[in-house]
Amino acid sequence: MSEKVEKTEKQENAKANGKANEKEAKEAELSEEDAQLKDELNMLVERLQESDSNLYKPALESLRNLIRSSTTSMISAPKPLKFLRPHYESLRNEVYVKIPDGPTKRLCADIVSVLAMTAVDKPEFRTDSLRYRFLGSGEDVGAWGHEYVRHLTGQCVLEWEAMAEAEQQQMLRQRRLERRQQRQQSGADSKKDNDDNDEDNDESGDEDGEEPMEEDGPAAGGVRITRDQLLSLCELIIPYHMSHNAESEAIDLCVETGQLAMLEKHTGQANYQRVCLYLTSCVPYLPDEDWTAVLDTARRIYLKFGDQGNAMRCALKLNSPELVSKQFAETPDPTVRKQLACLLGRQQFAVDWDEDAYDDAELLSELMANARLNEHFHALGRELDIMEPKLPEDIYKSHLEPTRMSTGTVDSARQNLASSYVNGLVNCGFGRDKLLMEDDNKMKWIYRNKDAGMMSSVATLGWLLLWDVDGGLVQIDKYLYLQDDNIKAGALLACGVVNSGVRNECEPALALLADYVENKTSCLNKAALIGLGVAYAGRGSGGESAIAKLQPLITEQGKPEQAALAALSCGVIAAGTLHSDVTSSILQSLLEAPPGDRVKPLARLHALGLALCCLGRQEAAEPVLAGLAAVEEPVRSLARVLCEACAYACTGNVLKVQSMLHLLSEKAQEEIGAGDAGSSSGGGGSRSTSTASSGRPLENNSGSPSAAAADKKSSEEATTAYAQGAAVLGVALVAMGEDVGKDMAFRIFGNLLRFGEANIKRAVPLALGLVYTSNPELKVLDLLSKFSHDSDLEVALSSILAMGLCGAGTNNARLAAMLRQLAGYHAKDPLALFAVRLAQGLTHLGKGTLTLTPSHSDKFLNNPGALAGLLAVLVAGLDMRRLLLASGWDCLLFYLTPAIQPRLLMTFDADLQPMQVPVRVGQAVDTVGQAGRPKTITGFQTHTTPVLLAYGERAELATEEYEPVSSLPLEGFVILRKNPNYQA
Amino acid sequence: MSSLTVHVKWQKQKFSDVPVDTSQPPELFKATLYSLSGVPPDRQKVMVKGAVLPDDSWSGIALKPGATVMLLGSAEALPEAPATPPVKFVEDMDESELAKAIDLPPGLNNLGNTCYMNATLQCLRSVPELRSILSKNRLAGLGGAAASGGGPEVLVSAMSNLFAALEKSGNSVSPHVFLHLMHAAFPQFATKAEGGVFQQQDANECWVELVRCLQSRLPTTEAGGSTDVSFTDRYLTGSMTCRLTCQECGPEAEPEVNLVETFSQLSCFIDKDVKYLHTGLTNAMKSSLTKRCDRLGRDAVYSKQSKITRLPAYLTVQFVRFYYKEKEQVNAKVLKDVKFSLTLDVYQLCSEELQARLKPVREQLRRMDEWLALQSGAAKRRPGGPAVAQGAEQAATADTGTNNASWPPSLPPLDPGAPPPPAYYFEDDPGSNASGQYMLQAVLTHQGRSSSSGHYLAWVRKADQPANANPEEDVWFKFDDDYVSPVTGADILRLSGGGDWHCAYLLLYGPRQLDRDYSSLPPPTDASASQGGAAGTN
């Protein structure tokens, strides 16, 4: 029933006295039929108002019949309700009261309860439907129609909240009492009796103060509702909703009242998928404490109906090794288990499982280790006929660039290095290229690079041979015997890169790199540290031995580079595990670092390493945040922001976004002298506001700024500036979990770009790159393209790189044209040109078959290793000129490797032999909360597997002959079986 | 428990049940692996659970029976550093090295609205003969001797000094001295606007004055030792005969008046039907003038028909873009688009005697074009190898009779002892053009709406590059005062006007040159026929 109609009616009524004529005119408009109905209803009400109690029952019964028999539509209220509305108060307060107890009174209560739907706009009648429902005859809840049930549902929630609030106040009062008691006990032991009296007095006093509010309910409704009553009503309402295509309302009620078990009970085979879809989609909008429960309910419902795949997804989202292991072990069907192993491999989740328990243990472990990723990727390459290697020039297409430099004869170390990267990115995973691995000129290209560039060039071999541990390491091994340290370092790094995302029981990455983590030669050392981080990224417990090698280096004094990289790599490996050794040693290193080191770009890497450990752990990360309190500024703010953002990564938590925005809105100047104020307490929001507010008075007091104050001011500015860049990334990180949050973040970033300080502006493009990784939406590209021409080189650099990230692996033609134009625009600036080249390489990543996005499984899960890798690059990108693009540091780009994944759909039969079936690929449609069997994709095309899936695309089988063994989204590797019901 | 078996994975292969005796030194195991895989022990890396097997002991390695061990290594030779000398990177070069490496010629600083002079100088500097003669004169001490004289002599010596400075420098040069002396020699250029800034001047005026200055003060010495022919006369000046016919009397009635005129520029007047340079030039050869006719005894309209009798090596063409607007008192500009090409053939404008003389060289140039077209076509058809090298190789093998690839026919290799290619000038007339064909080598452009405002630029073709059929591959330099940047021939063709972009004002055409003597070569079609025939006999 639309409340608007009600409201306008009410307004009319309010004016009615003054405008009787109008009303009469209106009545005249009533049709004959309506007038008759109205007269009849008025007559019945009059009868009820009379004193003849014998007539009550028949009158009420005919009222009931009239109300029930009326039909309703979406836009108008049922006629009887409309006409009875003016009589509601008299029915409620007079008629009901005077009727003696008995069935008639209950019947009257029913009528009042139904009529209360028309009076919800008055606060005192707000929950009348519910109250009189309990006084009524308690017949079938659905008898009065769907609208009535909806009202009951809404009022249940209201009542439940009121109860919770009351309880909370009760508790507060209790606590206040206890405090007072303690005080009095400590103050005066002598007057014990008086204490008790006081207590009583206090209590009664308090009650007096608040009682009226409490009393309000019962006085108005005449009933006090208990929780049990509410719950019993819920028990009736929920099945009604479930059987009437209103799952969403049932779920809302359950979530609000915390009765998820009830949901589990009443969900049936027919609608469990809809219910679970709704549940899982609610997750980003729920408060922290609820979402695990909701997700777990969804998981259990899935399990109840034998949907192992989706149950596993929920377990993975819950990030619970126990649940995952348990479910893996309890999956009955071996084929489904293989499919689950594929999912686990994609998520890189380390599971404890008993290898001896299964016949196909070797196959399962291969699937979980992604051992055949390379093989399958090559199959895709052959199918699409893109195995032929490409040269950087094929990507640049510099003959199409608007201005052309005829400097072809001179080698620029930076541009050659860019070409090395582009070559590696474009031919990534294909195992062939034309620069490094062609037989006749193997070393020629390497020697056309300079110093650290040589290292990176050799290391791109790792990208070329990505995931091919068996065949690839041999080709890299040769370079380990060479004398040149840079080449050797590159080979080491390549060894690490090849192993990224693939497990091998011999752990070759660790075997080869472990000896070099403490090497005196800077480049060898760097390569080993980064290599280990990349190889074991997100591996968690599987990377324990690598962590054991790296962790002691974090606290080692006097080697800042080594310590920073060790911290970062540890963080990448232990992403989301809250690894106690790693967190404690990074905290220790932050505490012990000499003050001079603070603002150095490397400190960011330390802080990020710590933050990565907290990835997605939400409140569980609190101890780490608490540990940061003792760290000195400016690193403290930075680390705090990063840790908070990581802890709530991809949750869409609005409160966290707000607290980050608080920090961003702070002007650096306002921070003056506030350094000590914000040292101790609480979450990010309270911290930033407290510093800002305590900063102002101090600023006013300091009339003549002394030199010391100026010093302090500059350092404080640095503090804010330092943390603000990270806060921008933090907004992106938190918001990237769901679509609404993404759109909001995009708008926020637009404003920040327009009005933000320089340091914020520099970070915004990177944040956009994070939110829209491998998802080149036009509005984002347009914005980035605009800022890639910015006069501030850092803004331009990060915009260019962000364009690459947005388009990573998409071959987006529009982006390619933009970048080509940029190459001309920045032709004179070697650093910007380097960034453009990188972006071009990223756009054509794997010739358009790979993606960098950490989310998978229909954007439901995020691969922690991938996210950690992306973050490592982006945080380093906050200081482009001193860190990410600085000569010798560009190898940080290899942290992108864990994020590189094929964006394919490949189908297999039960024996894991590739199979070709037709599939429809189209834009995914959001079907959450929709009744029936809505279309899940739109604008589809039919292809034969293997196919590429772009961001936001979904596939469905276009044949009835086969069906997937699980109801997981069709992504990555999918196992099919013959449809038993198929008739050719 | 010291003897057990393990599985060894090597590349994509797997050796099952390889026996290991951990009581023996690891070398023994490695030797076993050598026999299996062929990887020499010193290139073997044996990896067990995240550790590499040391050479001397099994310490730290926990082998379990049936475990999988990874062998890394190959028997392949190690890659070696290339023998080429280390690459010198742009980043390591200082500025002058950089300019040399990129081969960007230096620019001239703008000294306050002197872009007209800078552009003119850069264009003139593209004439190699002028450069060499100036440097010779400087070495010969002319500069010093003439310095005392003042006026044009000094200006010439200043020019030679300036060019020498440009030759040496990697950076831009400030032509202070030259500007000062030019102002002294030609006071009309020294006008100042309010505020004491020099005013913008017409670049063509500057050009004409400088060329005139060179004419009077720069003798050439190389031709037979005679010093009386000036540089300008020799290289920049042509002559034409003009036949005047009184239009009223008709050609028969009166003996024609033949005049000989010299010119240092051809003008292209722009009227509405001139869309191409050639039309403009042809139109300019026919004009009419009013003069007294003896026969009629009064003024009559004469038509004037000019024919070129001598072509200078370097032909200057002026687009007459500016006309004086009485009302506004400015030299307003015609923005009309007049297309020009990178080559120019003025054969049609020459007198019959000259045309006859031009023919032999033209024939050779035509043959060169045919060969070039063939080569570039072949290169397109067969990418991957430089066409010339390939061609030379083929020709060599064709001589020995073992070759059967006949198409494309290739130029016979150039005999090192062969005589140099024919010069572009007539042997009895150095500094002339013997073919009537020119290549564009410099363009002076103007951007703006009147000649005494706006901005002048010089666009000069990079020297010593072969003729390119594709203008995209032609390298040019854009001299925007001190800012020099490389552009392509296609950009030059865009200077034809028609908008507010830079539009060509003066074109400097240089002679087309032969790269070898084609007179002794058969035309390419014959060559292919003979080679094809040879192939057929094999």
Side-chain angles (χ1 to χ4, degrees):
Chain A
M1 181 185 312
S2 99
E3 286 184 22
K4 254 189 196 154
V5 175
E6 294 293 329
K7 239 170 229 169
T8 48
E9 288 255 326
K10 192 188 172 210
Q11 283 164 354
E12 273 165 22
N13 283 352
K15 295 172 195 163
N17 294 337
K19 297 177 184 171
N21 297 342
E22 232 172 77
K23 190 154 190 185
E24 266 168 36
K26 201 161 187 186
E27 262 169 32
E29 281 169 27
L30 288 176
S31 70
E32 208 173 308
E33 212 176 317
D34 290 350
Q36 199 188 346
L37 178 65
K38 189 171 180 186
D39 287 345
E40 200 175 335
L41 288 168
N42 284 346
M43 190 261 290
L44 288 170
V45 173
E46 266 168 45
R47 203 170 290 167
L48 285 171
Q49 284 162 341
E50 283 162 15
S51 55
D52 186 353
S53 58
N54 289 334
L55 291 177
Y56 291 163
K57 193 166 185 218
L60 285 170
E61 266 166 9
S62 32
L63 265 182
R64 180 173 74 179
N65 291 340
L66 281 171
I67 294 173
R68 284 200 183 166
S69 61
S70 75
T71 52
T72 179
S73 70
M74 291 296 282
I75 48 164
S76 68
K79 291 270 159 51
L81 289 186
K82 191 170 156 190
F83 297 137
L84 283 172
R85 187 169 183 282
H87 307 296
Y88 173 68
E89 269 182 74
S90 83
L91 277 178
R92 178 184 187 264
N93 297 340
E94 295 160 24
V95 179
Y96 176 73
V97 175
K98 75 181 175 189
I99 297 179
D101 285 353
T104 317
K105 193 174 177 95
R106 285 206 291 279
L107 180 58
C108 185
D110 282 345
I111 304 275
V112 172
S113 171
V114 173
L115 284 183
M117 287 199 284
T118 63
V120 283
D121 45 349
K122 285 192 187 157
E124 67 266 29
F125 303 148
R126 212 168 42 141
T127 55
D128 273 4
S129 292
L130 187 65
R131 292 173 192 285
Y132 284 90
R133 162 82 201 172
F134 287 125
L135 295 171
S137 52
E139 59 183 358
D140 179 22
V141 73
W144 294 99
H146 188 216
E147 192 57 40
Y148 178 61
V149 184
R150 274 192 52 196
H151 272 266
L152 285 183
T153 314
Q155 291 174 12
C156 273
V157 172
L158 282 176
E159 196 61 34
W160 189 273
E161 277 169 4
M163 281 181 197
E165 209 167 303
E167 270 168 28
Q168 209 168 2
Q169 273 180 353
Q170 186 76 30
M171 257 171 49
L172 278 178
R173 206 176 302 137
Q174 205 92 37
R175 216 174 290 160
R176 216 179 310 156
L177 264 179
E178 278 165 22
R179 262 210 307 276
R180 201 171 299 171
Q181 240 167 343
Q182 280 173 353
R183 232 185 3 247
Q184 280 164 353
Q185 268 171 6
S186 59
D189 285 329
S190 55
K191 292 179 179 178
K192 208 159 194 262
D193 296 331
N194 281 1
D195 278 351
D196 287 344
N197 285 343
D198 278 353
E199 241 170 79
D200 290 341
N201 288 346
D202 278 340
E203 198 158 24
S204 60
D206 279 342
E207 301 258 302
D208 283 345
E210 287 158 30
E211 205 70 338
M213 286 208 351
E214 291 259 315
E215 298 267 290
D216 194 41
V223 259
R224 214 180 231 283
I225 304 170
T226 62
R227 277 188 186 224
D228 291 340
Q229 273 180 309
L230 272 184
L231 289 182
S232 62
L233 184 61
C234 287
E235 280 279 8
L236 296 175
I237 293 176
I238 289 169
Y240 179 84
H241 279 313
M242 284 291 187
S243 55
H244 287 81
N245 260 333
E247 290 90 1
S248 53
E249 273 157 45
I251 296 167
D252 287 344
L253 179 62
C254 290
V255 171
E256 295 285 352
T257 55
Q259 299 305 311
L260 292 164
M262 218 182 271
L263 196 60
E264 214 176 317
K265 196 163 93 194
H266 292 293
T267 307
Q269 178 73 37
N271 60 1
Y272 83 92
Q273 277 175 321
R274 263 203 304 274
V275 169
C276 291
L277 184 60
Y278 190 87
L279 274 178
T280 50
S281 319
C282 297
V283 166
Y285 309 107
L286 291 174
D288 311 344
E289 57 272 13
D290 284 358
W291 75 271
T292 40
V294 168
L295 210 50
D296 198 46
T297 309
R299 187 187 69 85
R300 269 180 287 153
I301 295 175
Y302 275 132
L303 270 186
K304 183 174 156 191
F305 294 97
D307 190 342
Q308 305 284 346
N310 280 314
M312 184 59 102
R313 273 169 93 206
C314 294
L316 285 174
K317 177 113 181 167
L318 283 165
N319 197 12
S320 155
E322 299 80 37
L323 287 179
V324 173
S325 308
K326 184 156 166 274
Q327 200 201 322
F328 188 77
E330 286 172 4
T331 301
D333 185 342
T335 324
V336 177
R337 204 181 302 125
K338 281 179 208 161
Q339 180 68 68
L340 293 186
C342 290
L343 180 66
L344 290 172
R346 176 69 177 87
Q347 176 74 358
Q348 301 255 320
F349 203 92
V351 195
D352 297 327
W353 59 297
D354 182 9
E355 294 195 27
D356 303 331
Y358 311 105
D359 305 335
D360 52 354
E362 197 170 332
L363 185 61
L364 285 176
S365 70
E366 232 175 51
L367 288 173
M368 277 192 269
N370 284 328
R372 298 167 84 166
L373 189 55
N374 179 257
E375 196 181 303
H376 296 321
F377 184 63
H378 279 210
L380 173 80
R382 276 192 297 275
E383 191 64 33
L384 302 177
D385 197 17
I386 47 170
M387 290 304 280
E388 187 60 27
K390 283 195 170 191
L391 278 171
E393 184 53 38
D394 298 337
I395 303 305
Y396 301 164
K397 296 203 173 71
S398 49
H399 58 280
L400 295 177
E401 279 171 14
T403 52
R404 203 172 128 216
M405 293 283 284
S406 59
T407 58
T409 52
V410 197
D411 277 270
S412 156
R414 203 176 268 288
Q415 296 322 317
N416 285 357
L417 177 59
S419 294
S420 298
Y421 276 120
V422 171
N423 178 58
L425 287 168
V426 170
N427 299 309
C428 181
F430 287 97
R432 285 167 66 191
D433 81 324
K434 284 181 180 165
L435 288 185
L436 292 170
M437 284 153 60
E438 290 248 304
D439 276 338
D440 49 340
N441 58 1
K442 258 177 198 167
M443 296 289 277
K444 240 186 237 166
W445 180 257
I446 296 172
Y447 274 90
R448 280 177 67 185
N449 284 283
K450 198 181 146 190
D451 304 344
M454 275 181 165
M455 166 178 157
S456 300
S457 295
V458 179
T460 55
L461 274 174
W463 277 342
L464 296 173
L465 299 163
L466 193 61
W467 308 313
D468 186 8
V469 178
D470 294 333
L473 281 179
V474 177
Q475 306 191 46
I476 299 166
D477 177 58
K478 296 186 286 251
Y479 296 94
L480 286 172
Y481 292 94
L482 297 187
Q483 289 307 306
D484 189 306
D485 276 339
N486 282 312
I487 295 181
K488 210 169 158 186
L492 282 176
L493 183 49
C495 286
V497 170
V498 165
N499 281 286
S500 177
V502 183
R503 251 173 291 164
N504 187 304
E505 57 174 324
C506 296
E507 312 223 11
L510 185 65
L512 293 170
L513 301 183
D515 291 344
Y516 292 93
V517 291
E518 284 183 274
N519 199 290
K520 295 279 185 299
T521 316
S522 152
C523 62
L524 290 173
N525 179 249
K526 208 186 271 180
L529 293 171
I530 298 176
L532 275 179
V534 171
Y536 289 92
R539 203 69 71 71
S541 55
E544 204 57 64
S545 37
I547 291 179
K549 286 275 174 202
L550 295 173
Q551 183 236 327
L553 309 178
I554 298 174
T555 44
E556 212 164 287
Q557 297 284 343
K559 290 179 187 164
E561 285 186 10
Q562 181 183 315
L565 284 177
L568 181 56
S569 279
C570 274
V572 171
I573 297 171
T577 59
L578 279 179
H579 195 285
S580 57
D581 292 349
V582 174
T583 46
S584 59
S585 32
I586 297 181
L587 273 175
Q588 192 193 341
S589 76
L590 288 175
L591 283 169
E592 286 172 359
D597 282 358
R598 296 299 182 198
V599 197
K600 281 194 181 155
L602 288 177
R604 283 185 215 272
L605 303 186
H606 272 283
L608 180 63
L610 183 63
L612 288 177
C613 292
C614 311
L615 198 65
R617 294 307 290 265
Q618 310 208 2
E619 301 95 40
E622 284 301 328
V624 176
L625 288 173
L628 278 173
V631 177
E632 273 181 55
E633 289 287 15
V635 178
R636 184 181 59 217
S637 311
L638 173 81
R640 177 177 286 281
V641 168
L642 278 177
C643 286
E644 259 184 37
C646 279
Y648 290 86
C650 310
T651 58
N653 188 315
V654 184
L655 295 176
K656 293 297 157 190
V657 172
Q658 278 175 352
S659 81
M660 305 272 168
L661 288 178
H662 258 294
L663 181 65
L664 291 177
S665 61
E666 256 173 60
K667 286 252 190 292
Q669 291 90 314
E670 287 179 347
E671 275 267 309
I672 180 168
D676 304 326
S679 61
S680 54
S681 64
S686 66
R687 192 206 71 82
S688 54
T689 43
S690 75
T691 45
S693 56
S694 61
R696 251 172 241 123
L698 268 176
E699 192 177 39
N700 294 342
N701 290 344
S702 62
S704 56
S706 65
D711 263 6
K712 191 155 192 186
K713 181 175 170 181
S714 69
S715 84
E716 291 303 338
E717 268 177 28
T719 307
T720 327
Y722 205 53
Q724 274 178 339
V728 177
L729 284 183
V731 172
L733 191 55
V734 176
M736 70 189 279
E738 43 91 40
D739 290 337
V740 180
K742 260 185 183 177
D743 282 345
M744 290 201 292
F746 179 77
R747 292 188 46 172
I748 293 169
F749 290 146
N751 287 334
L752 289 177
L753 272 177
R754 250 161 264 142
F755 308 115
E757 309 270 312
N759 55 321
I760 295 176
K761 270 178 82 174
R762 286 170 191 174
V764 171
L766 295 175
L768 281 170
L770 180 61
V771 178
Y772 291 90
T773 311
S774 289
N775 177 17
E777 279 189 28
L778 208 51
K779 57 177 184 184
V780 185
L781 290 189
D782 279 346
L783 187 70
L784 288 176
S785 164
K786 190 167 126 199
F787 284 93
S788 59
H789 297 80
D790 201 273
S791 55
D792 181 349
L793 183 62
E794 296 258 354
V795 175
L797 287 176
S798 44
S799 300
I800 295 168
L801 208 63
M803 287 168 85
L805 288 175
C806 283
T810 60
N811 277 355
N812 188 301
R814 196 190 176 94
L815 177 60
M818 282 179 181
L819 289 172
R820 213 166 289 137
Q821 182 269 334
L822 270 177
Y825 183 82
H826 289 298
K828 288 279 158 14
D829 185 331
L831 197 60
L833 190 58
F834 182 67
V836 173
R837 296 304 186 206
L838 276 181
Q840 287 178 315
L842 283 170
T843 306
H844 297 271
L845 180 67
K847 296 171 205 159
T849 58
L850 301 172
T851 178
L852 283 183
T853 178
S855 69
H856 63 105
S857 195
D858 212 3
K859 294 188 254 171
F860 187 68
L861 296 172
N862 283 291
N863 183 337
L867 195 54
L870 270 178
L871 273 177
V873 172
L874 291 174
V875 170
L878 288 175
D879 201 340
M880 287 281 183
R881 273 189 283 195
R882 284 194 296 171
L883 213 50
L884 188 57
L885 298 185
S887 151
W889 281 104
D890 51 72
C891 45
L892 287 173
L893 282 169
F894 285 97
Y895 277 116
L896 281 180
T897 320
I900 300 178
Q901 285 290 337
R903 52 180 184 96
L904 51 59
L905 164 62
M906 216 169 168
T907 46
F908 299 89
D909 62 15
D911 301 323
L912 287 178
Q913 293 309 307
M915 201 160 74
Q916 298 205 326
V917 293
V919 286
R920 288 187 284 264
V921 178
Q923 206 62 40
V925 181
D926 188 10
T927 56
V928 176
Q930 289 187 8
R933 301 186 123 230
K935 289 242 176 304
T936 54
I937 57 175
T938 177
F940 60 80
Q941 283 184 313
T942 309
H943 300 279
T944 307
T945 55
V947 286
L948 293 179
L949 292 178
Y951 188 90
E953 275 184 351
R954 202 179 273 168
E956 58 183 36
L957 286 186
T959 169
E960 298 281 311
E961 197 179 345
Y962 296 97
E963 58 178 18
V965 295
S966 75
S967 49
L968 283 171
L970 296 188
E971 270 184 42
F973 304 131
V974 174
I975 303 174
L976 302 180
R977 67 173 160 227
K978 279 260 185 211
N979 186 350
N981 304 323
Y982 176 70
Q983 287 139 2
Chain B
M1 193 37 220
S2 62
S3 182
L4 40 94
T5 59
V6 293
H7 307 297
V8 177
K9 260 172 100 178
W10 179 61
Q11 302 192 11
K12 305 263 175 191
Q13 304 178 38
K14 192 163 181 178
F15 309 115
S16 296
D17 301 324
V18 182
V20 190
D21 190 348
T22 48
S23 59
Q24 303 288 327
E27 279 134 19
L28 211 66
F29 180 50
K30 290 198 171 178
T32 321
L33 293 179
Y34 178 45
S35 65
L36 284 170
S37 65
V39 181
D42 58 333
R43 292 279 300 277
Q44 288 181 5
K45 283 197 183 70
V46 181
M47 287 177 290
V48 188
K49 280 271 167 222
V52 182
L53 178 65
D55 281 336
D56 43 359
S57 78
W58 290 91
S59 65
I61 303 288
L63 264 189
K64 283 197 197 102
T68 305
V69 167
M70 192 172 186
L71 170 64
L72 186 56
S74 64
E76 247 181 277
L78 293 176
E80 277 169 25
T84 46
V87 182
K88 180 99 174 166
F89 294 107
V90 176
E91 282 85 350
D92 300 331
M93 297 176 181
D94 60 29
E95 275 192 53
S96 58
E97 272 181 307
L98 201 63
K100 209 169 167 188
I102 307 177
D103 210 11
L104 274 185
L108 289 165
N109 289 325
N110 194 332
L111 304 174
N113 279 337
T114 57
C115 55
Y116 70 96
M117 179 188 83
N118 291 346
T120 311
L121 283 171
Q122 292 287 12
C123 285
L124 286 175
R125 194 172 164 252
S126 73
V127 178
E129 283 83 358
L130 177 62
R131 283 218 299 258
S132 66
I133 209 161
L134 278 175
S135 75
K136 257 183 211 155
N137 276 332
R138 198 172 83 96
L139 293 177
L142 175 135
S148 55
E153 290 92 345
V154 197
L155 196 58
V156 171
S157 84
M159 194 191 285
S160 68
N161 285 332
L162 182 62
F163 282 9
L166 284 173
E167 210 75 51
K168 272 191 297 193
S169 168
N171 300 322
S172 49
V173 171
S174 293
H176 283 291
V177 178
F178 183 82
L179 179 69
H180 182 75
L181 293 172
M182 188 179 77
H183 282 160
F186 309 109
Q188 70 267 33
F189 293 134
T191 51
K192 285 187 180 178
E194 294 166 36
V197 193
F198 294 118
Q199 270 181 337
Q200 180 69 284
Q201 304 290 339
D202 186 343
N204 187 43
E205 255 175 66
C206 176
W207 180 295
V208 170
E209 291 293 356
L210 287 182
V211 166
R212 195 172 293 155
C213 180
L214 292 174
Q215 180 176 26
S216 53
R217 303 301 161 193
L218 190 63
T220 50
T221 46
E222 74 254 77
S226 63
T227 56
D228 50 345
V229 187
S230 82
F231 174 82
T232 304
D233 289 340
R234 184 160 277 172
Y235 289 99
L236 298 174
T237 315
S239 59
M240 49 172 98
T241 58
C242 310
R243 208 173 66 181
L244 286 171
T245 328
C246 177
Q247 286 192 342
E248 288 176 52
C249 312
E252 308 84 26
E254 200 198 12
E256 294 161 2
V257 185
N258 275 313
L259 297 170
V260 177
E261 284 183 358
T262 61
F263 64 91
S264 66
Q265 286 184 343
L266 290 181
S267 299
C268 173
F269 295 97
I270 301 174
D271 51 28
K272 65 173 184 297
D273 55 342
V274 176
K275 290 193 177 110
Y276 297 96
L277 170 65
H278 214 273
T279 333
L281 291 180
T282 317
N283 287 352
M285 292 317 234
K286 264 187 204 150
S287 59
S288 56
L289 57 98
T290 315
K291 86 173 199 120
R292 187 177 168 78
C293 175
D294 292 336
R295 190 160 156 263
L296 297 171
R298 60 178 165 85
D299 285 356
V301 179
Y302 277 71
S303 71
K304 179 181 174 189
Q305 174 74 41
S306 313
K307 291 280 185 192
I308 297 172
T309 52
R310 179 188 190 264
L311 283 167
Y314 296 92
L315 180 66
T316 313
V317 178
Q318 183 211 1
F319 286 105
V320 187
R321 286 202 178 268
F322 296 105
Y323 65 98
Y324 192 69
K325 261 194 189 164
E326 299 278 341
K327 218 166 76 187
E328 280 104 21
Q329 301 199 329
V330 287
N331 262 334
K333 182 163 148 190
V334 184
L335 291 173
K336 193 174 184 318
D337 183 6
V338 181
K339 297 257 183 267
F340 56 90
S341 61
L342 295 180
T343 55
L344 178 70
D345 191 348
V346 291
Y347 184 72
Q348 299 299 330
L349 310 179
C350 297
S351 66
E352 276 156 32
E353 307 87 79
L354 183 60
Q355 281 178 353
R357 290 187 70 198
L358 295 175
K359 269 191 180 135
V361 186
R362 291 176 66 82
E363 180 58 28
Q364 288 209 34
L365 278 170
R366 195 178 58 78
R367 194 159 293 175
M368 183 173 86
D369 286 344
E370 280 174 3
W371 278 101
L372 280 175
L374 205 65
Q375 300 293 330
S376 68
K380 253 178 220 151
R381 272 197 303 276
R382 192 185 293 180
V388 179
Q390 201 181 6
E393 196 180 293
Q394 273 184 13
T397 45
D399 289 346
T400 60
T402 55
N403 180 32
N404 54 5
S406 59
W407 193 261
S410 46
L411 277 171
L414 198 58
D415 183 2
Y424 60 84
Y425 48 83
F426 296 121
E427 285 189 12
D428 57 344
D429 184 7
S432 63
N433 181 318
S435 64
Q437 295 195 4
Y438 288 95
M439 267 170 78
L440 190 61
Q441 72 172 28
V443 182
L444 192 150
T445 62
H446 177 258
Q447 184 185 34
R449 287 301 173 100
S450 79
S451 69
S452 52
S453 68
H455 190 41
Y456 288 100
L457 251 55
W459 311 65
V460 178
R461 186 168 189 264
K462 185 173 185 268
D464 310 325
Q465 55 176 341
N468 280 310
N470 181 7
E472 287 281 357
E473 286 160 20
D474 226 22
V475 182
W476 285 67
F477 297 115
K478 170 184 169 188
F479 291 88
D480 186 352
D481 290 325
D482 54 328
Y483 181 72
V484 185
S485 54
V487 292
T488 67
D491 294 316
I492 300 304
L493 294 178
R494 263 176 235 126
L495 302 172
S496 55
D500 273 332
W501 181 239
H502 302 278
C503 51
Y505 185 28
L506 290 164
L507 304 176
L508 181 62
Y509 282 99
R512 283 199 65 188
Q513 304 202 23
L514 288 163
D515 57 355
R516 61 155 74 201
D517 191 349
Y518 283 86
S519 57
S520 57
L521 279 177
T525 44
D526 297 355
S528 73
S530 70
Q531 281 186 9
T537 56
N538 284 343

